[in-house]
Amino acid sequence: MLDLVETMPDAFVVSDHEMNIVSANAAFVELSEAASADQLRGQSLAQWIGRPGIDLELIEGQIEQHGSARNVTTVLRNRDTGDDEPVELSAVRSVGSEALYAFIIRPIGRRLRDLASASQDLPRSVEQLTDLVGRMPLKEIVREST
């Protein structure tokens, strides 16, 4: 099973109860532009995922309340360039006093670019704009609605 997780195309990360990275597959190493999984071990996942002090806490709250977080749209930050890569993640937590969190992270930037370019010339209905919530930055949705 570990071989399957290591070779899966979506990024997979396991963190401890303090959100420090315990393990990461090759896809996360590539996505985070790290040299190796060893370089990531022990680092706070908050260095890469979401807006500092906001997104991971919200995700943790969803897991506490619902048992999992599913299809959460956030960003993966590149510490060197400052560029944010839009990603979608799902997460669960193990039970026990030393709980572990497992995250599956997939880039969605290409999907968002395709969505935006495919409909540049067409006005959107309220329903179409509502469907964009969580899939597109709020700034873009406001621009579409105006």
Side-chain angles (χ1 to χ4, degrees):
M1 188 165 79
L2 293 176
D3 289 339
L4 292 172
V5 170
E6 179 60 28
T7 60
M8 67 189 289
D10 290 334
F12 184 82
V13 179
V14 175
S15 72
D16 63 18
H17 64 283
E18 294 178 346
M19 295 295 174
N20 295 318
I21 297 172
V22 173
S23 179
N25 72 351
F28 186 78
V29 171
E30 181 181 337
L31 195 60
S32 65
E33 297 182 358
S36 69
D38 290 335
Q39 182 184 20
L40 297 170
R41 257 183 226 107
Q43 300 294 315
S44 173
L45 190 58
Q47 292 179 26
W48 285 275
I49 299 293
R51 297 164 292 172
I54 299 173
D55 287 358
L56 278 179
E57 283 80 6
L58 290 173
I59 292 164
E60 193 173 6
Q62 282 185 0
I63 294 169
E64 289 292 323
Q65 188 174 16
H66 304 289
S68 67
R70 196 179 287 231
N71 301 327
V72 177
T73 302
T74 185
V75 294
L76 182 99
R77 293 190 313 277
N78 182 314
R79 295 185 305 170
D80 296 332
T81 66
D83 293 334
D84 293 345
E85 170 76 21
V87 296
E88 183 178 82
L89 67 79
S90 295
V92 295
R93 186 182 73 175
S94 67
V95 292
S97 60
E98 295 295 318
L100 296 174
Y101 291 85
F103 297 86
I104 294 179
I105 305 163
R106 59 198 77 68
I108 58 171
R110 186 180 61 193
R111 267 194 289 170
L112 292 176
R113 284 189 297 276
D114 292 347
L115 178 64
S117 65
S119 57
Q120 288 291 346
D121 300 329
L122 301 175
R124 295 187 187 268
S125 69
V126 173
E127 292 80 19
Q128 289 172 319
L129 289 169
T130 302
D131 289 341
L132 294 177
V133 173
R135 297 178 185 263
M136 194 178 220
L138 182 58
K139 188 176 185 179
E140 294 295 321
I141 296 172
V142 170
R143 186 176 300 143
E144 286 284 327
S145 66
T146 57

